[in-house]
Amino acid sequence: MDLLSNKWIVNLLVSWFFIGVGCNSVEKKIYVHLNYTVPCVRLLNATHQIGCQSSLSGNVGVLHVLESEENVDWVLGSGANPPYLVILESALFTRSIMMKLKNGSGRVAGVAVIMPNTNPLEGFSPHTSCPNENTGVYSETYDPSLAHCNVTVWNPFGNGLSYEEFDFPIFSMKDDDDTRVIRQCYMDHNRGVNGSVPQYPLCAMQLYSHMSAVTDTATCMRRNDLNLSLSPEMICDPLGDYNVWASTKPLNTTAKGHKTGESVVVAAARLDSRSFFFDVAPGAESGVSGFISLLAAASALKTVIQEAPPSRTIFYTFFQGETFDYIGSSRMVYDMENKQFAVDLDNVHSVLEIGQVGLRADSKLWLHSDPVSRKNDSVNDQVKTLITNLRSAAVNLSVSVDEPNVSQPLPPSSFQRFLRARPIPGLVLEDHESSFTNRFYESMYDTADHLNMSYPANLTQEEQLEFVTEIAKALTEVATLVARALYIQAGGAEAQLRNINADPEIVTRMLYGFLVRTNNTWFQQLVPSDLMSHLADRPTNFYVGVAQQSSEPTLLVQYLLANMTGSHFNISQANCKNQRENEKDEESKHMYSYTWVQGAAPPNGTERQGFCVRSTVRLSKALSPAFDLKEYTSKDYSTWTESRWKVIKGRIFLVASPDLEMMTLGVGVGVLIASLLLTYIMSSKADILFSSGREPANATY
């Protein structure tokens, strides 16, 4: 290769570099990329698919800010520049409007919902009015008259929007700089003056959220199994996580199945929540109020159980995936039935589940029981005993308990999955007598504000962490009630009840950590160093996710429960991480778990004083048995999966008129043809145009 050729290659490479840089610069000038957008994603089960998606190349539409429900007709009928990408204020994000847009999807490219900074006055729940109605205990074989919410409609605000399928993308956006840019772009380009048709260029938006899975779970799982390449691409993943549990007495977790002479009182709460949008699941009332009360109760019982242990074992259980047909509880019951758990159902004495307890009226909580199993005299007597124990526990507290006045089924609860296996005595503790008090069940509005959780102005983040709010005081009373009732139910002496009191400071810290900022000094000292990257300056997202790793709430509850029920153990970090008390210890890991946590940071330094916590806290799989059994059309177990995707993003830009676009295309095609023609002519005449007057080789001088 001669020197001239090398120069041409270098010049070509330099040209490509500058073209790439120039294209990137042009792209930034054309598009404004949106931050903090959260999509609605596709979920699938045994029978169908729900959720939203875009086309493979993203959906593009002219922006239109919907001003009223009557304005929908303009979008679906008379608007001159379809398809439209509709911007909805949160007040217009209703089932009525969304179903109209869905049915007119040929003129709708997508929807973007602007999330408010405050909750609406009226109720909103995109969940169904009868949550988990097909996977609870009530069915055609278990008192059909109580099935399908025939007696009590538990979630009257439920509009079922989360269970609809939309063939266009739907994103949520914060009310921040992005939305101000969108509104200004709309006002400058898309809003006609005095009713006139707006002129090009128009402001448009493009949303990307293409989903890989289609049809149902059986279809996507079958496609997952088609390994036709060296790096097969997964289409969907089962929803799931891990349950967190601990016992007041160490249990050998290696020896599965029945424990002779062991009787356990199950104290249960759910961890997960959801909303219409992926990764927005605050769950303040629907989940957090219950599991924080149980965590605080476990903390309150620690000392008295060490000093005066009851005859029965209290079994703290935090279930994951309950929103999606009881994933966690059905898995634990399945493992108990099949001798794959630390105890079995024969070891279960009774169940006390703590549900939604953050919005109680008149300081009263309601004790819900199953009228069908109570027809058994033995079960009924034990349920009455549990009710009596709860009434005794409420003495001298500001909270009282009562039974509903009418015979009705259990509300949606994990306890129903135990009853599907066998009649077990149990109660579900709730803040509602019949329908939910929670107006925002499984919605993006079920936040700290919903619990009236507020702080005085001008408090620092550290001061907010320590400030005992009114809701913290209320849940402390609930936690004390639960702790005392569990102690009596487990066979403890009533004389010890006055020594059992939940700590309001612990409750208020947990509320702040889960509902305001996980990245706070208290959480930091109670978790291992590798969890620090998960802590953030935002509330926790309680969406269950897919069954590949433990989620943030699972890990946080695991370490909080370990610190609250376990003890500091003076062993080395290496031994602690290897689950042993010394180099020769091979037995302790079967009875205890060991966790090395960071500890508090010194006031004038950054080096933390870590320590080892020994506890009985364990994780167990919260994956529906349907996926182990490969029964993807199961009617007995959850079959929910989440589709995979490649790109989630949104951007706005100005779009030219179709006439201008066609003219530009025509000019481009003309230039291309002309350049090809010119290239052909120059190539055919190259020997004339580029001949050089070289002298003959035999020239002499």
Side-chain angles (χ1 to χ4, degrees), residues 492-611:
E494 288 196 32
Q496 293 287 340
L497 293 189
R498 65 178 181 274
N499 299 322
I500 301 174
N501 295 285
D503 187 346
E505 291 187 359
I506 288 178
V507 174
T508 206
R509 289 172 184 169
M510 287 193 288
L511 284 169
Y512 181 85
F514 285 113
L515 298 179
V516 181
R517 294 176 71 249
T518 58
N519 188 23
N520 60 76
T521 55
W522 192 60
F523 274 16
Q524 288 170 7
Q525 63 185 290
L526 300 181
V527 302
S529 57
D530 56 5
L531 191 60
M532 279 290 289
S533 60
H534 293 266
L535 303 182
D537 298 331
R538 54 160 176 75
T540 309
N541 168 39
F542 289 99
Y543 174 67
V544 62
V546 295
Q548 295 182 340
Q549 58 186 0
S550 300
S551 64
E552 176 186 309
T554 296
L555 294 172
L556 288 174
V557 169
Q558 175 189 1
Y559 297 125
L560 285 173
L561 185 60
N563 280 275
M564 291 177 182
T565 61
S567 57
H568 294 191
F569 217 62
N570 188 23
I571 58 176
S572 68
Q573 183 174 355
N575 283 334
C576 186
K577 290 187 174 182
N578 286 313
Q579 302 294 300
R580 63 191 184 191
E581 297 183 7
N582 55 61
E583 285 75 5
K584 297 181 180 180
D585 181 15
E586 296 291 337
E587 300 300 324
S588 296
K589 63 184 178 181
H590 303 307
M591 308 297 290
Y592 298 98
S593 65
Y594 298 83
T595 306
W596 188 268
V597 299
Q598 291 193 118
N604 299 318
T606 57
E607 179 111 15
R608 294 179 178 272
Q609 301 299 316
F611 56 89

Side-chain angles (χ1 to χ4, degrees), residues 61-65 74 81 83-87 112 181-183 185-186 190-191 202-206 651-653 655:
V62 173
L63 279 181
H64 180 74
V65 177
W74 184 90
N81 302 299
Y84 289 99
L85 208 145
V86 180
I87 308 297
V181 169
I182 291 170
R183 287 190 180 103
C185 188
Y186 170 77
N190 294 17
R191 188 179 178 89
L202 298 175
C203 191
M205 180 182 285
Q206 186 172 29
R651 58 187 184 180
I652 61 173
F653 55 94
V655 61

Side-chain angles (χ1 to χ4, degrees), residues 109-124:
V111 174
V113 182
I114 299 175
M115 293 295 98
N117 295 318
T118 57
N119 285 350
L121 297 176
E122 64 280 1
F124 176 83

